[in-house]
Amino acid sequence: RFGYSVPYLAAAAILIPALLFVIGSMGGEKQASSRETREKSGMSILKFLFSPRILSYFLFILFPYVICASFLSYFFPIFGEEGGLTETHISFAFLVSGVISIYVGPTLAELAARKLGVKKSMILSSAIYAAALVLFLISPTILGCFIVIAMFAFADGIGLTAQSVYYSGLPEVERLGNGKAMSIETTIENISSTCGPIIFGFVLMLGARTGMTIVGGIFAVCLILFVIVSAVTGRKKTDTSV
């Protein structure tokens, strides 16, 4: 109705006051001293990254999870346009995903954490992602895309909170310091987000069925490897709800 430029300008007009409000709210906060933010045990960043629990979380959970999120942001708009969908229909898919995540996600996250615990909830969300990719292989259609997007949204409702709680509760995170550990996670997440469109670009080049078979297979293998590594290494302090 308004074209492309007006929504961008409207979003910027809303974002700028929000940023100013956040900056103003942070002004009165006292900064922690450098001594307080140092590592509790002198753990180096390199040692942190290559510890089994951290490495398995980044490689087998966070990295494939964030990459597969590009299904909605990159793959679906192109695939849908080639299938004859209008911009309105494609935007509707984003709306459905957002509504499910916002209104259903918190309830699912609380229920899953209470019934399964943090780690199992995180594994369940990744399993739903894998099942959604398998479903797309069975039905690589526009309707199949919408179902996959809905399944991803339900999985995000369960998994995003579980991932955050799982990672922040790892002993290695406590030893390194929450500030540095969260910065590293954000960096890995941004790298994964950048790689997502590249990988799904290859999916489009190879063909939807062939490309998604490869992506789905790798995702399933990563999930299995995480379960194995997690069982071998164990955790003493992470999942307090199990």
Side-chain angles (χ1 to χ4, degrees):
R1 183 181 299 272
F2 300 106
Y4 289 105
S5 60
V6 173
Y8 280 115
L9 293 174
I14 296 172
L15 181 61
I16 291 174
L19 289 175
L20 293 176
F21 176 78
V22 171
I23 294 172
S25 299
M26 294 173 61
E29 296 293 332
K30 294 182 179 180
Q31 299 295 329
S33 65
S34 59
R35 181 174 299 177
E36 293 174 340
T37 57
R38 288 175 183 171
E39 300 88 346
K40 295 183 178 180
S41 64
M43 173 179 269
S44 66
I45 294 178
L46 197 61
K47 184 178 179 181
F48 172 80
L49 287 172
F50 285 97
S51 59
R53 281 186 288 249
I54 297 298
L55 189 62
S56 64
Y57 170 76
F58 283 152
L59 289 181
F60 303 143
I61 292 293
L62 185 64
F63 194 73
Y65 198 95
V66 175
I67 285 176
C68 284
S70 294
F71 181 94
L72 174 60
S73 62
Y74 179 81
F75 177 82
F76 173 71
I78 298 175
F79 185 81
E81 186 177 2
E82 292 177 350
L85 290 182
T86 64
E87 295 173 353
T88 301
H89 293 104
I90 294 173
S91 300
F92 179 73
F94 283 83
L95 178 62
V96 169
S97 176
V99 168
I100 293 175
S101 298
I102 293 172
Y103 291 101
V104 183
T107 302
L108 287 177
E110 181 181 359
L111 180 63
R114 187 171 63 249
K115 297 294 185 181
L116 300 175
V118 174
K119 186 179 77 171
K120 291 180 180 178
S121 298
M122 186 173 63
I123 293 174
L124 174 61
S125 67
S126 294
I128 295 174
Y129 258 62
L133 295 175
V134 171
L135 177 63
F136 182 80
L137 296 178
I138 298 173
S139 177
T141 61
I142 298 299
L143 177 60
C145 282
F146 274 94
I147 296 175
V148 168
I149 290 169
M151 292 178 68
F152 280 3
F154 281 109
D156 288 343
I158 299 172
L160 294 179
T161 301
Q163 288 178 14
S164 177
V165 174
Y166 175 88
Y167 178 74
S168 62
L170 288 172
E172 292 84 354
V173 171
E174 183 179 355
R175 291 175 61 191
L176 180 68
N178 287 329
K180 285 186 177 180
M182 294 305 170
S183 299
I184 293 173
E185 184 188 30
T186 301
T187 301
I188 299 296
E189 187 174 343
N190 290 337
I191 294 172
S192 304
S193 299
T194 303
C195 293
I198 297 174
I199 291 175
F200 277 98
F202 281 106
V203 170
L204 292 170
M205 289 173 58
L206 295 173
R209 188 182 295 274
T210 302
M212 292 300 291
T213 299
I214 298 174
V215 172
I218 294 175
F219 191 95
V221 169
C222 288
L223 178 58
I224 294 172
L225 289 174
F226 175 79
V227 173
I228 294 173
V229 173
S230 179
V232 171
T233 58
R235 292 196 338 275
K236 294 182 179 180
K237 297 178 62 177
T238 302
D239 196 349
T240 57
S241 60
V242 175

